Amino acid sequence: MGDDRRIGEAILVVIAIVALLFSAAFLPAVDIFGSNEAIAEQLPEGSQLPAGTQAGAQSGEMGSTGDGESGESQSAGSGEPTGIGAPGQTAGGSLTNPPQSAQISGSLSEQPSQAPLFTVESPVNTYWRQTAYETYTGTGWQQAEAPTPLDEGIPNDDLTGGNRRITYDVTLLEGGRSLPTAWQPESVSFRGDGTQPTLQTSATGGIQTDESLPAETTYTATSALPPRQPSVLRNAEGQTPREIRETYTRMPRDTPDRVGDFTGELLAGTDTRYDRAITVQRWLTSNKGYSLNTSLDPSQPIADQLIFEVDAAYCQQFATTMAAMLRSQGVPARYVVGFRKGRPVGDDTYLVTSDRGHAWVEVYFPDVGWVRFDPTPADELSVSTPDPPYEVSLNRSAVVGAPVSVRVTKENESISGVPVFVNDQRVGWTDATGSVETTLPYTDRVTIRAGDDTTQTEYTDATPTPK
């Protein structure tokens, strides 16, 4: 078939990709591969895997829970979602030590890059934590103390209950001083017979070195996993240590009264600390959208704006707001930075890239310790395939801000020379393979169509948003 004829045949083809921002179940962000060569294909151009990275056939998510941690997705026997650690959004990340003071940004004009940072060989694919902050200023966060030597012990490790532990290996793909770990780290050691760098820990359990480490450095860590089952957390209503209560419920004096008033009304009738935390998390994910182009003013109180004035935000602002809301009701909470789960690239092997940089919340439970909650709406998109005679497909799962290849075919034949539009903006013409490379925008609805005729019926994903 000639190009002219193919162009003539190219009628409107529509994919409607509807953002399920409030969904708690998502497709994997990348295809599953079985070799080092396949892993390397997922890295940005010019990047390489370090020597010794292992890959194999991927067996899927660990266990039946969200990230392999007990009780992650639902409570045993009740079918009730816990809402703890739901997949969240990105705001960029690196292996640079997080600063002592973190100012919460306003609108971000650039989409996060996908630079490879590290791989993890672990029985659990979880959040990879860098540090947490104690003091909320209204527009940012501060750490109160300088790091201390790790050989003196990890601060407050006696506050983490439970007896489940994991051991895992992290290989750095770029240099840095911050060593991401699962919460809560108990030990960190380096492979090899070379000089061992001095390890330090923040007051909130973040691990770092006294000097920058080169790429291909591998360290082994062991972490204790706090209990996460709702039944356990609902019963964790003992006495909170005075220092924890005073430090992690403190709010700025200029916090508008309406923040506490609104949160108090929202939590009326909740009986336990777990129910208060999960209620705040669900309110944020259900009533606010995700966007890097937020109208939030970084010089004004963050939580007040997101609750009352702003309809969309990203992870830093969501985490700040949830922590502030809980603190206003006397629930100890803190702001945490690190990376969300890596992308599977082999047997128990995960790749973490800079676009997975993230912020979330930890809530303190007596006799349990600090437990993760993620209030940021999720970023996976569902995909509808249009009816025949045309087939339109993407080369990977649809993720907000992700680079994708859109392919248009008919009866397994590629359709070339067809203009492709994303939200009415032309992104190019299909090549000889029927494909166009583009990036999915940061919006809550994305429509992709091929051809010039815009009068035809659109195909949409009618899957309802969960309540």
Side-chain angles (χ1 to χ4, degrees):
M1 181 184 297
D3 286 348
D4 292 342
R5 184 177 178 184
R6 283 195 293 269
I7 294 173
E9 280 194 349
I11 63 174
L12 175 68
V13 179
V14 175
I15 310 171
I17 305 175
V18 180
L20 299 181
L21 296 176
F22 312 137
S23 176
F26 306 93
L27 297 171
V30 295
D31 290 335
I32 296 170
F33 302 94
S35 68
N36 285 351
E37 291 78 8
I39 298 175
E41 290 177 0
Q42 302 308 300
L43 303 180
E45 184 177 354
S47 302
Q48 294 183 354
L49 285 170
T53 300
Q54 300 297 314
Q58 168 63 23
S59 59
E61 291 287 335
M62 296 299 301
S64 61
T65 58
D67 63 3
E69 297 182 19
S70 177
E72 181 77 23
S73 289
Q74 63 183 39
S75 58
S78 70
E80 177 189 356
T82 69
I84 303 176
Q89 303 292 339
T90 63
S94 75
L95 296 180
T96 302
N97 279 345
Q100 289 294 108
S101 297
Q103 182 74 13
I104 302 303
S105 304
S107 182
L108 297 180
S109 59
E110 296 183 1
Q111 298 174 1
S113 67
Q114 292 184 313
L117 297 181
F118 59 94
T119 59
V120 184
E121 294 181 49
S122 170
V124 168
N125 186 16
T126 185
Y127 284 36
W128 304 102
R129 187 182 185 274
Q130 290 179 289
T131 196
Y133 293 83
E134 301 104 321
T135 303
Y136 176 48
T137 67
T139 58
W141 293 87
Q142 296 177 349
Q143 294 187 45
E145 300 177 7
T148 58
L150 182 60
D151 57 16
E152 295 181 6
I154 295 176
N156 300 321
D157 62 348
D158 59 320
L159 298 179
T160 297
N163 56 10
R164 188 179 179 207
R165 282 160 175 76
I166 59 170
T167 298
Y168 48 94
D169 295 324
V170 178
T171 300
L172 305 182
L173 302 181
E174 69 169 31
R177 291 179 56 199
S178 177
L179 305 183
T181 59
W183 180 254
Q184 179 171 357
E186 291 188 337
S187 65
V188 176
S189 61
F190 291 89
R191 288 185 181 177
D193 299 327
T195 302
Q196 299 291 303
T198 300
L199 291 172
Q200 301 171 324
T201 178
S202 70
T204 56
I207 308 299
Q208 61 190 55
T209 60
D210 63 342
E211 59 185 28
S212 183
L213 300 175
E216 301 191 19
T217 297
T218 296
Y219 59 92
T220 299
T222 297
S223 295
L225 303 182
R228 305 181 65 78
Q229 300 94 328
S231 59
V232 172
L233 298 180
R234 284 195 172 100
N235 290 324
E237 290 293 308
Q239 186 70 28
T240 299
R242 178 178 178 180
E243 182 180 358
I244 296 291
R245 184 176 64 254
E246 291 181 351
T247 300
Y248 294 101
T249 61
R250 190 177 298 130
M251 293 281 283
R253 291 183 178 180
D254 60 353
T255 301
D257 292 340
R258 62 180 183 173
V259 171
D261 293 343
F262 173 83
T263 307
E265 293 178 4
L266 177 68
L267 299 183
T270 55
D271 297 325
T272 69
R273 184 167 296 185
Y274 169 80
D275 289 308
R276 295 183 188 100
I278 207 68
T279 297
V280 170
Q281 176 182 271
R282 287 173 176 167
W283 183 83
L284 286 168
T285 58
S286 298
N287 290 276
K288 303 294 178 177
Y290 176 80
S291 177
L292 294 180
N293 297 316
T294 175
S295 59
L296 188 145
D297 182 350
S299 67
Q300 299 300 316
I302 303 297
D304 181 70
Q305 290 182 81
L306 184 52
I307 295 171
F308 298 104
E309 301 172 6
V310 176
D311 293 327
Y314 52 91
C315 63
Q316 297 174 6
Q317 299 154 350
F318 278 105
T320 294
T321 300
M322 179 175 178
M325 292 174 72
L326 291 175
R327 286 187 175 202
S328 75
Q329 304 304 302
V331 177
R334 63 191 185 189
Y335 175 84
V336 188
V337 295
F339 304 90
R340 59 193 178 119
K341 301 176 187 180
R343 297 182 177 96
V345 290
D347 282 339
D348 293 343
T349 302
Y350 308 94
L351 170 67
V352 178
T353 49
S354 57
D355 61 314
R356 304 190 87 75
H358 195 44
W360 60 93
V361 175
E362 287 174 350
V363 178
Y364 182 80
F365 291 84
D367 302 320
V368 169
W370 294 98
V371 176
R372 182 185 74 243
F373 289 77
D374 192 338
T376 304
D379 64 353
E380 297 275 350
L381 303 173
S382 61
V383 182
S384 261
T385 302
D387 290 341
Y390 290 95
E391 295 180 356
V392 179
S393 60
L394 302 180
N395 66 331
R396 56 160 295 164
S397 301
V399 180
V400 170
V404 296
S405 177
V406 182
R407 189 166 184 234
V408 181
T409 60
K410 177 184 178 182
E411 297 179 353
N412 296 323
E413 292 287 335
S414 299
I415 305 299
S416 64
V418 176
V420 174
F421 298 82
V422 176
N423 287 357
D424 292 329
Q425 179 178 359
R426 190 178 63 211
V427 296
W429 286 263
T430 54
D431 58 19
T433 67
S435 300
V436 169
E437 306 296 324
T438 188
T439 299
L440 297 180
Y442 284 81
T443 61
D444 47 21
R445 180 182 175 88
V446 178
T447 299
I448 302 177
R449 62 182 176 85
D452 290 319
D453 186 356
T454 61
T455 63
Q456 301 297 318
T457 302
E458 293 187 359
Y459 296 91
T460 60
D461 186 343
T463 304
T465 301
K467 299 297 183 183

